[in-house]
Amino acid sequence: MTKRGAFIVIEGLDRSGKSTQAATLLKRLQDAQSPAKLINFPDRTTAIGKMIDSYLRSESELDDRAVHLLFSANRWELAKSIEETLQSGETIICDRYAFSGIAFSASKIRPGTNSYPLLDYSWCRAPDVGLPAPDMTIFLDVTQEVARARGGYGEERYEKEGVQRRVRDVFERVAEEVEGSGGRWVLVNADESEEEVQKVVWDTVKEIIGGIEGPIEKLWDDK
Ligand code: T5A
Ligand code: NA
């Protein structure tokens, strides 16, 4: 039976090194003649992605629910192409996915208070149910001190320490849930140098980059 490509998601807080590690992983796979493709969410190039981009840069205001659904729609518009790529035998490395969607939205606080959530966890998860499920999620775990030292947070909407702390809490719940439903969630210490982190990432993905035999699972389809 021909194997399909593996669907590898890289997640983590802002500045944890996701894009850096994803790009290096792609290069290593290509150097090893293993067909692979890099995608990222939000995909800011589509019409929906452009609305998200403008929101993240605070150039536009959107209702919190509306923007959550746009992030999800941005994944759905690429879902078919993800499946086709995997079926063709190509590995996909995906820089952020539905897990960021839940973590960032379900950690929002009610305006003028310190209490959250503004948006209920299960409400946040619902629009992503049924998307192609990752075969493995690598969570790059960075401490606030190290993230801050990497040039500090930039100008974008969520790049603030309070936000990141709450996001981290929700990511822990997501991790438990992914593992509970049989998914693979691998925590990697991302405070180390780029090279050290890549070593661990490579060791982790090595076993699946040769391809996967089973079907592409659907995300949280049991719920
Ligand atoms: N979002 C996203 C939602 O709210 N809902 C959703 O559904 C989704 C998908 C934009 C925002 O959107 C939110 C989450 C985000 O707030 P983005 O476009 O992925 O998401 O964010 P970016 O700003 O592009 O990426 P990050 O800030 O998260 O950074 P990365 O990719 O984690 O880090 P990277 O690789 O760019 O590295 C950052 C810096 O650190 C250095 C790099 O050279 C770079 O300068 N660096 C290291 N330095 C030392 N040691 C290492 N190990 C290093 N690794 C990287
Ligand atoms: Na990034």
Side-chain angles (χ1 to χ4, degrees):
M1 199 185 133
T2 32
K3 291 182 173 177
R4 64 170 174 87
F7 187 19
I8 302 166
V9 166
I10 306 201
E11 280 284 8
L13 297 182
D14 293 4
R15 297 292 182 272
S16 55
K18 296 176 299 299
S19 298
T20 304
Q21 293 302 327
T24 309
L25 182 56
L26 176 72
K27 187 165 183 312
R28 286 188 81 158
L29 287 168
Q30 288 171 339
D31 288 350
Q33 317 294 326
S34 177
K37 180 179 173 178
L38 176 59
I39 62 172
N40 63 283
F41 291 108
D43 177 346
R44 303 187 194 216
T45 66
T46 69
I48 293 170
K50 290 194 174 84
M51 292 173 74
I52 295 172
D53 181 58
S54 141
Y55 171 81
L56 286 171
R57 293 166 184 272
S58 302
E59 290 166 4
S60 64
E61 289 305 320
L62 283 168
D63 175 81
D64 292 293
R65 285 176 183 78
V67 77
H68 180 75
L69 296 172
L70 287 178
F71 273 113
S72 178
N74 187 228
R75 286 183 279 279
W76 278 108
E77 61 181 341
L78 286 155
K80 190 156 180 274
S81 127
I82 291 174
E83 287 187 359
E84 286 169 358
T85 301
L86 296 173
Q87 295 298 6
S88 80
E90 217 173 334
T91 292
I92 293 181
I93 304 158
C94 182
D95 184 356
R96 288 195 196 274
Y97 198 49
F99 312 125
S100 277
I102 302 179
F104 282 82
S105 290
S107 61
K108 287 190 171 180
I109 48 175
R110 293 169 191 276
T113 75
N114 268 329
S115 69
Y116 75 100
L118 172 68
L119 307 176
D120 182 65
Y121 181 95
S122 56
W123 186 89
C124 292
R125 198 184 62 162
D128 286 311
V129 169
L131 279 171
D135 295 301
M136 178 186 280
T137 301
I138 296 175
F139 185 83
L140 298 182
D141 193 24
V142 74
T143 56
Q144 291 285 315
E145 296 69 40
V146 171
R148 201 186 308 123
R150 289 181 185 167
Y153 294 123
E155 297 298 313
E156 286 205 333
R157 198 177 278 267
Y158 298 142
E159 294 179 342
K160 301 180 181 82
E161 291 197 22
V163 173
Q164 300 291 321
R165 250 194 309 278
R166 294 193 300 273
V167 168
R168 188 199 180 84
D169 290 345
V170 184
F171 263 129
E172 280 180 14
R173 178 164 173 193
V174 172
E176 279 170 26
E177 207 165 37
V178 168
E179 287 176 329
S181 60
R184 295 187 65 188
W185 184 280
V186 183
L187 197 78
V188 171
N189 176 4
D191 281 356
E192 303 294 332
S193 70
E194 276 182 44
E195 295 72 21
E196 285 301 317
V197 177
Q198 181 60 212
K199 258 190 222 157
V200 179
V201 169
W202 183 251
D203 274 349
T204 309
V205 303
K206 245 183 353 206
E207 51 177 293
I208 60 167
I209 55 176
I212 303 258
E213 260 165 22
I216 303 164
E217 304 284 340
K218 293 202 183 302
L219 195 57
W220 294 313
D221 212 19
D222 52 322
K223 302 281 155 55

